[in-house]
Amino acid sequence: MIRLDSHNVTQSAVGAEHGLDLMAVFSQYQATLKNDIGQLWSNKDVSGAWSRWLALGENTQLAQSITAYANKVKGQFEHLVVIGIGGSSLGGIAMFEALLPSYWNEQSSATRKGYPRYYFVDNVDPDKLAGLLSVLDLKRTLVNVISKSGTTAETMAGYLWLKEKLAEAVGAENLSKHIVVTTDPQKGILRKIVKKEGLTAFEVPDDVGGRFSVFSAVGLLPAALLGIPIDEILRGVRELTPTLQSSDIHENLAAQGALIQYLLYKKGKHISVFMPYSAKLAFVADWYVQLWAESLGKKYNLEKAVVHEGPTPIKAVGVTDQHSQVQLFNEGPFDKVFTFVRLDRFDHTVEIPNLYPEIADLSYLGGQTFETLLQAEGDATRASLTQNQRPNVTLYLPQLDAYHFGQLLFLLEVQTALMGSLLQVDPFDQPGVELAKQYTYGLMGRPGFEHLKAELTEKQPAILRQ
Ligand code: PA5
């Protein structure tokens, strides 16, 4: 199982000013957290509470129907293009990078066991899109378009673009074999298109927000299309659930994580650095950044008072960022709390050869493994941060597989929800994304949004690009 080591946030590790008396705060917050945990899980099946993501691990039936579809299309496609943005893409990207062999797209078909290469369209940069088109064999391409709302401009533009290209390549009559949609069961333009055109579709269930949707068809469908064992992901989630439901803070890792983040935030550590010591987990940091930022950065609290609350998440990757951000982390302001993610073991052993035995300052590396080097660097960075009184926790995974990957993301989701409770903000809405979205609609001429274009061009011309 996943483990949490929080020793390095204690006062004995980082001093009274920057650390916590964990035993004291655990007992001080036991009642509050018991209430928050109970409240969270009691909302699991409540309509309108946006907490159905807590139940996604139980949905083995969904996993079966996704697997059946993935088996049916296996071998037919050389390229899988996933079109989505934010919560509709970041979990998938994190999953593929973590769980597929590295350099997947460059691997032979035999190494990929006949599963396709994959590409994400999560941006509308025309240069990137043109580049993608130049590598796709459209006749052998499957497109999974993912949008809960079915209206997101970036995703829908990508869909319109690729649908037209596909139609040109395979003919309108064959188009439906090349498109699979993931969207709301009832609402939105995409659902209408699915019904009208008879496309294959999976659901983003009711009351599951984008950034909490990775264990729904949003993440599981593309994962299954690439041969990732999705039942193992869900088993990991299910087997961690009792721990995360526990009202005893000494058992509940997500509650511990949330409380530590909350109390350190209140001590002025407004930046939450997420730093996996595994290059394959680098994209989990991107997923975490969105989860933390969109869930916790809020103008209003639950009482509707203006609070402008929210810790700023930062992505860092061990060992790469030791030569980039760690200088700041060690010597800059005391405004950060760190979450490391470590693996007990890696899948591959790669030795460093001893090519210069006569040069002692180089030959010490020879005969050792890259895993030993990476783990030593992880320990060293953590030790230096602790010595410099920078509080940090470490999440340990026994290994990087589907089971533990599911546990890592689920723990972070529950931690985020509990952090929302402690901060007294709603972690499941994102009103701050709306204004720019609506201005975009206005600038792009969407009916009903003309007044926003007028507002921007007439009242705020200086804001617009010159
Ligand atoms: O987490 C969220 O709710 C957002 O990041 C959404 O996932 C993102 O805006 C995409 O929305 P949709 O899936 O409706 O296209």
Side-chain angles (χ1 to χ4, degrees), residues 6 21-31 33 249-250 255-256 259-260 263:
S6 45
D21 180 344
L22 274 190
M23 284 306 118
V25 296
F26 279 7
S27 67
Q28 193 187 335
Y29 280 86
Q30 173 72 52
L33 277 164
I249 188 169
H250 296 93
Q256 287 175 28
L259 183 62
I260 288 167
L263 292 172

Side-chain angles (χ1 to χ4, degrees), residues 120-131:
F120 276 87
V121 174
D122 65 346
N123 202 305
V124 293
D125 182 327
D127 295 339
K128 200 88 198 271
L129 295 172

Side-chain angles (χ1 to χ4, degrees), residues 104-105 108 115 117 130 141 166 180 186 192 241 258 293 340 348 373 397-398 424 455:
W104 174 260
N105 284 354
S108 68
Y115 290 107
R117 300 182 165 93
T141 294
L166 275 174
V180 55
Q186 307 292 344
K192 279 195 192 131
T241 296
F340 294 112
H348 297 88
L373 177 60
L397 305 188
Q424 290 285 294
E455 182 183 311

